[in-house]
Amino acid sequence: MSTAPACLGHSRAAITPALRAAVDRLDHRSRHQAAYHFGWITAGGAPTRADAGKAVRPALALLSAEAVGASPETALPGAVAVELVHNFSLVHDDLMDGDEERRHKRTVWKLWGSSSAILTGDALLTLAQEVLLDAGTPAAASAARLLARTTRHLIRGQVQDLSFERRPYVTVDECLDMAADKTGALLSASSAIGAVLAGAPAATVDALARYGDEMGRAFQLTDDVLGIWGDPAVTGKPVYSDLRARKKSLPVSHALQQGGTHGVELATWLSAPGEPGEEELRRAAELIDGAGGRDWALAEAARRMKLAEDALLGVDLEAGARGELLALGRFVVDRDV
Amino acid sequence: MSTAPACLGHSRAAITPALRAAVDRLDHRSRHQAAYHFGWITAGGAPTRADAGKAVRPALALLSAEAVGASPETALPGAVAVELVHNFSLVHDDLMDGDEERRHKRTVWKLWGSSSAILTGDALLTLAQEVLLDAGTPAAASAARLLARTTRHLIRGQVQDLSFERRPYVTVDECLDMAADKTGALLSASSAIGAVLAGAPAATVDALARYGDEMGRAFQLTDDVLGIWGDPAVTGKPVYSDLRARKKSLPVSHALQQGGTHGVELATWLSAPGEPGEEELRRAAELIDGAGGRDWALAEAARRMKLAEDALLGVDLEAGARGELLALGRFVVDRDV
C-alpha cells in the first residue's frame, strides 16, 4: 500500500493531461484564467510548476474504480469531472466570500474581476458534464447524473453557509446538514464515481458513496476544531481564525445548543459588532470548550470516520485499493488537532 | 398550422408543470429566486399569473420532436432543459451587465445581491443537466452532451461580448461569431434536442441544428438594427438604445470595416467618453446608415434566414411541424424593422 501523499501525487500526475486537455477546449479567456487557477501558468501566462492543490477528489475517483476491480483509466473522465466541479465551486465561492487569496496567490475575481470569475466558474461546471458525457457510455451518463445531483447539493450547501452568517443561531443539525452538502456531497460522489463508471453493483456504489459522505462530515468537524484551536504553524491561518469571523461552526453550534452560562455568554459575544480583540477570542474559545464544543466535535468526527470505514469494510472490494482509500481518508481527516 | 404566438402559448403551458417540478428540487432560496425570475411569484412569495417570457426555445424543442414523427412528450425534458440553460444565462448576464430590470421587474441580483444571482444561476444550469439525465436513456445522454457543449459556446459568446466593450474595433466576423455563440448556439440546440431525444438520424438532427443556428444569426442581425433604428413604441427600449451604450453591434462593425469618411468619423465617435447627446446619436445613426450598415445587416439577416429555411426544407420532416417551425422562426426574426 502506498502512503496517502504518494497516492495523491500519483493521481495528480495521472489526471493532469486529461484535465489540461479539457481546459484547452474553453474560450481563450476562461482557459487562461482556469490554467492560472489550477497553478499551471502565472497571471501573465508564463508556465509554472504545476501546483493545483492536493487533488483528493480525483484520487478517490481513481481508487473507487480500482476498488471494484477496474483499471484507474476507467475512472479518468470521472476524476477530471469531480476536480472541475470542485474548482468551479472554489472560483465562485472565492468571489462570494470576498477571499482575495487561495494557495498563496490572488484569486481569479481579484485579478480579473467578478464577471471573469462568474464565467470561468460556469465554464468549469459545464466542462465537467461535457468530459463525462463525451465518453458516450450508459455508465458515463449515470456518472454525469450523479455529478449533476451532487452539484445541486454543493450549491445548496453554499446557500446555507451564506444564510448562517445572517442568523443569530444555527442548530447542530443544520450545521451538519450544511457540511454534508458543501463538503460531503462531492467527496461522496468522488468516492463512488469510479465504481459507477466501472458498472459496479448498486450496493457497492452506495457503500463507497457512504464512505465519502461520512468522511466529509468528519473532515468538516475536524476542520472546524482547527479553525478555533489549530496551530497557526500547521494550519497556515491565524490563531482563532473562525472566531475572528464569528463563524457559527460546528463546535460553536454545539456550545450554543447546550445553553447554560457558557452558551448564553457565547451567544451574546457572537452577536456583538466589530472586530474582536485577542482577549475576547481567548475567552470565546474557552466558552466553547467549557460547553463541550471541542470534545463533542472530536468525538463526533471519530464516530463519523468509524461509520465511513465500516461502510467500506462492509462490501467486497479489492484489498489494495480499499487500503489506499482508508489511508487517504485518514490523511484527509486526521490532521494535528 | 397554428400561428406562432398560439404555438408559443401552447408550449409554455405544456412545459410549465415540468419546469416548476424541476425548480421545486432546488434549495429554498434558489427555488424562491428562480420562481420569481420565471414570473411565478412576487419577490415576497405571493403567486402571480405566470409570465416567463416567450419560451421560444421550449417551443422549438417540442416541435423538433414532432418534426421527426415523435410525440412532443418525447422532447419534454429537453424543452425544460433548454429553458433552464437560457434562464441560467439571463440571471448571470443580468449581474455581469449590471441590468437592474428584466420583463419590467427588478433582476435577481438587484433584489437579493450578487451571491444570490450567482448561486441561482449555478443551480439552474446544473438542474438542466439533471432533468435530462434523469430520463436515463442513451438519447437523453446524447441530448445532455449536446447541451453541455452548447453551454460552453454560450459562455464563450458572453466572454466575447464583454471583451468587445474594452476594444476600440471589432470585425464583422468576430461580431457574427459572438452572435453565433451567444444567440445561435442555444437556438440551434433547442431546434435539434427534440429530434435527438427521439433518436432521429444524424442528418436530420444536423439540419434542425443548422436551422436554429442560422435563425439565431438572423435574429441578432435584426435585433441589432432594432437597437439603433427600432421604434421605442415597439421595442420597449429608448430610441438609439445600443448607440447610447456605444455598443459595437453588427451594423456598427460593418460600417467601421467599410472605412471611408463615415467609418472614420464613427470610430472617433465610438471612442469618445461620456453620455452622448440626442444630436450626436442622430449623427452616429446617420453615419452607420451612410456606410451601409443598416442595409447590409437587413440583407444579411434575410440571407441567413433563407439558409435556415433551406436547411429545414432539405430533409424529410413531418409537414405540420415543419410549417410551425418555419412560422416560429419568422415570428422570432421578422419584427418591425
Side-chain angles (χ1 to χ4, degrees):
Chain A
M1 189 204 304
S2 62
T3 61
C7 159
L8 288 171
H10 174 79
S11 300
R12 160 71 52 216
I15 70 143
T16 296
L19 188 59
R20 294 184 82 136
V23 168
D24 275 344
R25 292 191 200 174
L26 300 181
D27 65 89
H28 73 290
R29 283 182 66 89
S30 301
R31 182 166 67 231
H32 183 90
Q33 290 157 12
Y36 166 81
H37 170 81
F38 279 116
W40 304 330
I41 59 170
T42 64
T48 57
R49 287 174 58 91
D51 169 26
K54 288 191 296 291
V56 167
R57 291 158 193 81
L60 290 169
L62 299 178
L63 287 171
S64 107
E66 289 185 79
V68 299
S71 71
E73 286 71 39
T74 311
L76 195 57
V80 170
V82 294
E83 188 67 353
L84 287 168
V85 168
H86 177 54
N87 284 281
F88 137 75
S89 79
L90 294 181
V91 170
H92 277 191
D93 285 5
D94 283 344
L95 170 60
M96 287 183 260
D97 299 342
D99 288 338
E100 301 188 355
E101 286 209 353
R102 170 170 298 280
R103 299 170 196 141
H104 310 292
K105 296 185 314 180
R106 278 176 293 168
T107 45
V108 171
W109 75 266
K110 184 67 186 167
L111 272 171
W112 289 288
S114 56
S115 293
S116 285
I118 293 170
L119 288 164
T120 299
D122 291 347
L124 294 174
L125 175 56
T126 199
L127 193 57
Q129 285 293 337
E130 208 181 346
V131 162
L132 269 177
L133 292 163
D134 277 355
T137 62
S142 298
R145 186 184 178 195
L146 167 64
L147 198 62
R149 190 173 66 232
T150 300
T151 306
R152 174 158 55 82
H153 282 276
L154 201 63
I155 293 164
R156 180 160 77 189
Q158 173 71 357
V159 167
Q160 287 298 97
D161 200 9
L162 293 179
S163 80
F164 289 176
E165 289 173 15
R166 295 183 294 265
R167 290 171 47 185
Y169 182 83
V170 176
T171 69
V172 169
D173 281 347
E174 287 176 314
C175 222
L176 278 171
D177 282 348
M178 187 274 279
D181 279 334
K182 189 166 170 170
T183 311
L186 192 55
L187 287 169
S188 174
S190 303
S191 303
I193 204 165
V196 171
L197 286 164
T204 310
V205 169
D206 289 349
L208 285 159
R210 179 95 197 272
Y211 177 65
D213 175 49
E214 293 293 358
M215 184 214 300
R217 293 170 206 249
F219 169 81
Q220 198 56 60
L221 284 152
T222 311
D223 201 56
D224 282 1
V225 170
L226 287 169
I228 300 173
W229 295 281
D231 178 354
V234 176
T235 62
K237 293 176 183 176
V239 68
Y240 303 131
S241 62
D242 279 359
L243 290 182
R244 288 175 201 276
R246 302 188 202 266
K247 189 176 164 186
K248 291 162 210 90
S249 65
L250 283 154
V252 174
S253 298
H254 177 86
L256 289 174
Q257 203 154 315
Q258 295 309 299
T261 53
H262 286 96
V264 171
E265 188 180 336
L266 185 63
T268 309
W269 178 80
L270 275 173
S271 61
E275 189 91 359
E278 295 302 311
E279 180 51 34
E280 267 186 75
L281 290 167
R282 203 195 47 71
R283 176 65 185 156
E286 199 174 84
L287 289 168
I288 300 162
D289 206 356
R294 179 182 183 146
D295 288 347
W296 167 82
L298 291 174
E300 183 68 10
R303 190 177 76 82
R304 294 289 185 173
M305 205 55 204
K306 175 81 166 55
L307 289 173
E309 293 173 351
D310 286 350
L312 212 55
L313 295 165
V315 286
D316 188 31
L317 295 173
E318 197 273 315
R322 169 152 53 199
E324 295 207 51
L325 278 170
L326 290 168
L328 189 53
R330 287 272 166 193
F331 175 79
V332 168
V333 173
D334 286 355
R335 290 167 301 160
D336 288 329
V337 288
Chain B
M1 189 203 303
S2 62
T3 61
C7 159
L8 288 170
H10 174 78
S11 302
R12 160 72 51 219
I15 71 145
T16 297
L19 188 60
R20 294 184 82 136
V23 168
D24 274 345
R25 294 191 198 174
L26 299 181
D27 66 90
H28 72 291
R29 282 182 65 89
S30 300
R31 184 167 65 232
H32 184 90
Q33 289 157 14
Y36 166 80
H37 170 81
F38 278 115
W40 302 330
I41 58 170
T42 65
T48 57
R49 287 175 57 94
D51 169 27
K54 288 191 297 290
V56 167
R57 291 158 194 79
L60 289 169
L62 299 178
L63 285 172
S64 106
E66 290 186 77
V68 300
S71 73
E73 287 70 39
T74 311
L76 195 57
V80 169
V82 294
E83 188 68 353
L84 287 167
V85 169
H86 176 55
N87 284 281
F88 137 75
S89 79
L90 295 182
V91 170
H92 277 191
D93 286 4
D94 283 344
L95 170 59
M96 288 184 259
D97 300 341
D99 289 337
E100 302 188 354
E101 286 208 352
R102 170 170 298 280
R103 299 171 196 143
H104 311 290
K105 297 186 313 184
R106 276 176 294 169
T107 46
V108 171
W109 75 266
K110 184 67 186 168
L111 271 171
W112 290 288
S114 56
S115 294
S116 286
I118 293 169
L119 289 164
T120 299
D122 291 349
L124 293 175
L125 175 56
T126 201
L127 192 57
Q129 286 292 338
E130 207 180 348
V131 162
L132 268 177
L133 292 163
D134 277 355
T137 61
S142 298
R145 186 183 179 197
L146 167 65
L147 199 62
R149 191 173 68 231
T150 300
T151 306
R152 175 158 54 81
H153 282 276
L154 201 62
I155 293 164
R156 179 160 80 189
Q158 173 70 358
V159 167
Q160 288 296 97
D161 201 9
L162 292 179
S163 80
F164 289 175
E165 289 174 15
R166 294 183 295 267
R167 290 170 50 184
Y169 182 83
V170 177
T171 68
V172 168
D173 281 349
E174 287 176 314
C175 222
L176 278 171
D177 282 350
M178 186 276 277
D181 279 335
K182 190 166 171 171
T183 311
L186 191 56
L187 287 169
S188 173
S190 302
S191 303
I193 205 165
V196 171
L197 287 164
T204 309
V205 169
D206 289 349
L208 284 159
R210 179 95 197 272
Y211 178 66
D213 176 48
E214 295 292 358
M215 184 215 298
R217 294 171 206 248
F219 169 80
Q220 199 56 61
L221 284 153
T222 311
D223 202 53
D224 282 2
V225 169
L226 288 169
I228 300 174
W229 295 280
D231 178 356
V234 176
T235 63
K237 293 176 182 174
V239 67
Y240 304 130
S241 61
D242 280 358
L243 291 182
R244 287 173 202 277
R246 300 186 204 267
K247 188 173 163 190
K248 291 164 210 87
S249 64
L250 283 155
V252 173
S253 299
H254 177 87
L256 289 173
Q257 203 154 318
Q258 294 309 298
T261 52
H262 286 98
V264 171
E265 187 180 337
L266 185 64
T268 309
W269 178 79
L270 275 173
S271 60
E275 188 92 359
E278 294 302 312
E279 179 52 32
E280 267 187 74
L281 292 166
R282 202 195 48 73
R283 176 64 185 157
E286 198 173 84
L287 289 167
I288 300 161
D289 206 355
R294 178 184 184 149
D295 288 346
W296 168 81
L298 292 176
E300 183 66 11
R303 191 178 76 83
R304 295 289 185 173
M305 206 52 206
K306 175 78 168 52
L307 288 172
E309 294 174 351
D310 285 351
L312 213 55
L313 294 166
V315 285
D316 188 31
L317 296 172
E318 198 272 316
R322 168 152 53 199
E324 294 207 52
L325 279 170
L326 290 168
L328 188 52
R330 288 271 165 190
F331 175 78
V332 169
V333 173
D334 287 354
R335 291 168 299 160
D336 288 328
V337 289

